[in-house]
């Protein structure tokens, strides 16, 4: 459990295959990234991310997201984020690199990630960044997620091909 703290760098980086991160709670904690995932067949489940303090995002350089999947150029990742919640992200809104989930970034647009984000809950995250989930790689799936009170947060397919979203719920 990580509450009311601050670290000036990445909180944790998971490297390797077939690992599970589960039952983590980040509440009021600040870091450039909470979790970076490298590798294949990794799971992030039953974890909560909320109330990340707003930083000076205009000079933050796009490194404020809670969870980032880093695709590999030659190996498909098949990572899964399931049953996680992302709530109450303060900030400036807009596109300042403070996404809840980012799958790749523009340099990975041609890489096949194969990430699945499913059964996650997003509430009031639009002030943190207008992209609740930012997809910037290929062949990812967003399904069965619920967005509540997120008029300024969305799923953004910015880079990459053959991505799909279906059976997601958008309330208010």
């Amino acid at each position: 459990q990580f509450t009311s703290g601050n670290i000036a760098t990445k909180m944790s980086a998971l490297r390797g295959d077939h690992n599970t991160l589960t039952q983590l709670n980040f509440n009021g904690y600040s870091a450039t990234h909470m979790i970076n995932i490298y590798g294949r067949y990794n799971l992030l489940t039953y974890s909560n991310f909320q109330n990340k303090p707003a930083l000076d995002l205009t000079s933050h350089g796009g490194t404020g997201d809670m969870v980032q999947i880093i695709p590999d150029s030659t190996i498909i990742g098949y990572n899964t984020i399931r049953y996680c919640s992302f709530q109450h992200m303060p900030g400036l809104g807009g596109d300042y690199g403070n996404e809840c989930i980012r799958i790749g970034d523009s340099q990975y647009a041609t890489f096949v990630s194969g990430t699945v984000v499913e059964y996650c809950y997003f509430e009031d995250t639009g002030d943190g960044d207008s992209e609740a989930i930012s997809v910037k790689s290929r062949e990812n799936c967003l399904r069965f997620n619920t967005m509540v009170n997120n008029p300024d947060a969305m799923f953004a397919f910015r880079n990459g091909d053959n991505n799909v979203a279906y059976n997601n719920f958008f309330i208010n």
Side-chain angles (χ1 to χ4, degrees):
Q1 179 160 265
F2 302 92
T3 60
S4 303
N6 186 346
I7 186 169
T9 62
K10 296 175 180 126
M11 184 67 202
S12 64
L14 174 64
R15 297 179 188 274
D17 303 332
H18 301 280
N19 296 294
T20 300
L21 294 172
T22 190
Q23 300 177 14
L24 302 171
N25 181 37
F26 294 89
N27 188 348
Y29 203 88
S30 180
T32 57
H33 295 282
M34 298 302 181
I35 298 173
N36 277 6
I37 298 175
Y38 304 80
R40 300 179 304 153
Y41 303 106
N42 295 299
L43 293 172
L44 172 61
T45 62
Y46 299 103
S47 294
N48 178 58
F49 301 82
Q50 68 182 48
N51 301 313
K52 182 181 178 191
L55 302 172
D56 177 14
L57 298 175
T58 57
S59 63
H60 203 252
T63 58
D65 39 283
M66 273 41 79
V67 178
Q68 180 166 322
I69 304 290
I70 311 296
D72 187 89
S73 63
T74 59
I75 300 170
I76 301 172
Y78 299 115
N79 295 295
T80 302
I81 300 170
R82 177 183 297 143
Y83 302 119
C84 293
S85 64
F86 300 85
Q87 303 175 68
H88 314 300
M89 300 301 174
L92 304 172
D95 184 20
Y96 290 105
N98 202 34
E99 298 98 325
C100 295
I101 299 172
R102 183 164 67 182
I103 305 170
D105 64 28
S106 58
Q107 69 181 338
Y108 303 111
T110 61
F111 297 4
V112 177
S113 180
T115 296
V116 174
V117 179
E118 61 186 1
Y119 303 106
C120 291
Y121 178 79
F122 299 83
E123 181 179 4
D124 186 31
T125 63
D127 287 340
D129 193 283
S130 63
E131 301 174 13
I133 302 176
S134 180
V135 178
K136 300 174 182 172
S137 58
R138 297 180 55 214
E139 300 182 24
N140 302 288
C141 179
L142 313 179
R143 63 184 179 198
F144 310 118
N145 299 292
T146 302
M147 304 280 282
V148 176
N149 295 324
N150 276 329
D152 297 321
M154 63 193 95
F155 296 170
F157 293 91
R158 292 188 53 183
N159 298 85
D161 297 320
N162 302 324
N163 294 295
V164 64
Y166 64 89
N167 288 354
N168 295 288
F169 301 92
F170 296 86
I171 302 167
N172 294 337

